[in-house]
Amino acid sequence: GDSVTQMEGPVTLSEEAFLTINCTYTATGYPSLFWYVQYPGEGLQLLLKATKADDKGSNKGFEATYRKETTSFHLEKGSVQVSDSAVYFCALSSYNQGGKLIFGQGTELSVKP
Amino acid sequence: SQTIHQWPATLVQPVGSPLSLECTVEGTSNPNLYWYRQAAGRGLQLLFYSVGIGQISSEVPQNLSASRPQDRQFILSSKKLLLSDSGFYLCAWSVASGAYEQYFGPGTRLTVT
């Protein structure tokens, strides 16, 4: 079945460092891909999305490119801030899942000043 | 714009007591609605989803039930809580079945004592 695999956390970075969180997926057909962010004690917020191969989603300095050939959707940011400390979830949705999201296990990011 | 509400925000209940968590969505019609649980750690578990009034699909058999009495109202219930029901409960909505993103509410923190 469809699945999403994220890199293990926690990830600890210094402020202004470059961030990459790896995400790979397995899916039949052509899924849409998403990154969600969860701040402590809050619900999930949609960070960015991509609906077809080679699409680049971007928001708040974060970017991710839908790579069909490598089945990946890695999250990147050029310069992280302390306020980016959160848990990041990669997810996919496809028509054969009937609208359900398949989530990765989440990656905790901690940014130190 | 669309908004999603959950209440209560926090709840402490004794083992064996009943439970009712409510979720409402504003600004959209006929949404798909979802209940998730996030236990200690970060993983998200889909509990129930609904594509219309009175239509509930259960993903995991357990001590909980869900109902959708109105188009934009989704209720999570239990007759007798267990310690293992403790967790962070998230409601979400999406436009329709298919490869679409979901939007999450702020969550309810449930502690069963």
Side-chain angles (χ1 to χ4, degrees):
Chain A
D2 296 357
S3 66
V4 175
T5 302
Q6 289 181 234
M7 65 184 286
E8 292 287 331
V11 174
T12 302
L13 295 173
S14 298
E15 205 165 22
E16 299 184 359
F18 185 85
L19 168 70
T20 299
I21 300 178
N22 291 336
C23 171
T24 57
Y25 68 91
T26 302
T28 55
Y30 304 96
S32 293
L33 301 174
F34 310 95
W35 276 102
Y36 284 85
V37 59
Q38 185 179 30
Y39 299 102
E42 298 183 8
L44 277 68
Q45 298 177 25
L46 178 65
L47 183 58
L48 52 84
K49 67 177 182 181
T51 58
K52 61 183 186 297
D54 299 325
D55 267 2
K56 177 185 282 188
S58 62
N59 186 26
K60 299 180 181 179
F62 291 90
E63 293 183 340
T65 301
Y66 189 142
R67 301 288 189 198
K68 190 173 186 297
E69 63 277 13
T70 55
T71 62
S72 64
F73 193 54
H74 304 322
L75 183 68
E76 296 182 335
K77 187 176 185 183
S79 176
V80 294
Q81 305 300 312
V82 172
S83 57
D84 294 326
S85 298
V87 179
Y88 292 82
F89 292 91
C90 185
L92 72 81
S93 179
S94 62
Y95 283 97
N96 67 358
Q97 293 289 341
K100 291 180 283 186
L101 285 177
I102 307 299
F103 284 94
Q105 70 271 35
T107 302
E108 183 178 3
L109 170 66
S110 177
V111 180
K112 305 298 184 184
Chain B
S1 65
Q2 300 87 6
T3 55
I4 179 169
H5 304 281
Q6 287 186 244
W7 63 89
T10 60
L11 191 59
V12 180
Q13 292 284 91
V15 168
S17 63
L19 173 73
S20 180
L21 303 181
E22 189 166 343
C23 170
T24 59
V25 181
E26 296 177 354
T28 187
S29 296
N30 197 31
N32 283 7
L33 296 172
Y34 307 84
W35 277 114
Y36 291 86
R37 178 168 60 200
Q38 191 175 32
R42 299 179 300 276
L44 287 153
Q45 181 185 36
L46 179 63
L47 302 175
F48 302 95
Y49 69 96
S50 171
V51 299
I53 295 174
Q55 300 179 62
I56 309 295
S57 297
S58 174
E59 287 293 298
V60 182
Q62 49 197 300
N63 185 41
L64 301 168
S65 61
S67 62
R68 185 171 176 173
Q70 300 180 41
D71 180 45
R72 291 170 287 176
Q73 183 184 32
F74 204 23
I75 296 172
L76 184 69
S77 303
S78 174
K79 292 182 179 178
K80 289 185 178 181
L81 284 168
L82 306 172
L83 284 173
S84 58
D85 291 324
S86 293
F88 192 48
Y89 288 82
L90 291 160
C91 182
W93 72 274
S94 68
V95 173
S97 295
Y100 298 107
E101 62 268 31
Q102 293 178 18
Y103 296 94
F104 286 78
T108 295
R109 173 74 60 190
L110 172 66
T111 303
V112 182
T113 60

